[in-house]
Amino acid sequence: LAKTTQPISMDSYEGQEVNITCSHNNIATNDYITWYQQFPSQGPRFIIQGYKTKVTNEVASLFIPADRKSSTLSLPRVSLSDTAVYYCLVGDPGYSSASKIIFGSGTRLSIRP
Amino acid sequence: KAGVTQTPRYLIKTRGQQVTLSCSPISGHRSVSWYQQTPGQGLQFLFEYFSETQRNKGNFPGRFSGRQFSNSRSEMNVSTLELGDSALYLCASSLGPGQGMNTEAFFGQGTRLTVV
């Protein structure tokens, strides 16, 4: 599974758009990029998954450039409840199964009023 | 539909004892994985089961073991507990390999194990 690098922490304010970038230079052809959110003392929660270009759902957008060596999770108009740790993961769900997930250190996002 | 259920939520054990944790996956999910989360080491993969067979194993000592039953429910066991085993143990379920794009893993709330 490809190693990922993301900022250790980020701060922002309510109502702002937050972009968290993840580097994955050795991503393989069959790898997908997945982001999870984790609150203290809870299990991680799936946010979004993509392979290339742009993916959008009701909570976030995921931007992936053509070379796929990085990706950016975009959270529109954050609120205090978005304060959490965000993990970027890269892997081939068809081969290794999504359940064998290697988590990096994650990005601790703090939202202020 | 019901989410992933882990029992118990909290547990206190003494060094040297053994412990068994339980995980009931989402109905229809056949893949279950276990993770250990500590402040120092973060989230670390323990093992993965699919159709009652262990498919992958992380870098943990043999004191950590698991199994999966025919109904996909899974248990993990830790024998001869050490203080360093104190952690949040998380279980995740998913449909299984080869499902393509829709392979998100659903995590339970975890079992908080404290070894004293």
Side-chain angles (χ1 to χ4, degrees), chain A residues 32 36 38 41-44 46 49-50 87 93-101 103, chain B residues 31 33 35 37 43 45 48 55-56 90 94 98 100-101 103-105 107-109 112:
Chain A
Y32 281 77
Y36 282 81
Q38 187 180 26
S41 297
Q42 291 189 25
F46 174 92
Q49 184 181 70
Y87 295 96
Y95 175 74
S96 65
S97 168
S99 291
K100 189 198 173 198
I101 301 171
F103 285 85
Chain B
S31 182
S33 291
Y35 296 81
Q37 186 171 33
L43 267 160
F45 171 77
E48 175 196 9
R55 295 184 68 243
N56 292 293
L90 292 159
S94 68
M101 179 78 171
T103 52
E104 64 180 281
F107 285 80
Q109 297 240 9
R112 173 76 61 187

Side-chain angles (χ1 to χ4, degrees), chain B residues 15 36-38 41 44 60 63-64 78 80-89 113-116:
Chain B
R15 270 183 304 176
Q36 180 196 66
Q37 186 171 33
T38 60
Q41 299 296 321
Q44 292 186 287
F60 278 81
R63 300 186 296 108
F64 292 80
V78 188
T80 320
L81 284 166
E82 300 176 359
L83 295 178
D85 296 333
S86 294
L88 179 67
Y89 289 88
L113 172 65
T114 301
V115 182
V116 297

Side-chain angles (χ1 to χ4, degrees), chain B residues 9-96:
Chain B
R9 289 292 313 279
Y10 303 93
L11 205 51
I12 299 176
K13 289 286 190 178
T14 305
R15 270 183 304 176
Q17 287 186 310
Q18 74 158 17
V19 66
T20 299
L21 311 180
S22 179
C23 172
S24 294
I26 291 172
S27 177
H29 284 191
R30 296 167 61 193
S31 182
V32 173
S33 291
W34 289 88
Y35 296 81
Q36 180 196 66
Q37 186 171 33
T38 60
Q41 299 296 321
L43 267 160
Q44 292 186 287
F45 171 77
L46 279 158
F47 26 66
E48 175 196 9
Y49 287 88
F50 177 74
S51 294
E52 302 178 66
T53 302
Q54 187 180 88
R55 295 184 68 243
N56 292 293
K57 191 176 193 301
N59 188 26
F60 278 81
R63 300 186 296 108
F64 292 80
S65 63
R67 59 177 176 170
Q68 187 179 33
F69 302 96
S70 59
N71 62 358
S72 294
R73 190 177 71 85
S74 177
E75 289 181 346
M76 70 162 280
N77 184 79
V78 188
S79 62
T80 320
L81 284 166
E82 300 176 359
L83 295 178
D85 296 333
S86 294
L88 179 67
Y89 289 88
L90 292 159
C91 162
S93 83
S94 68
L95 289 169

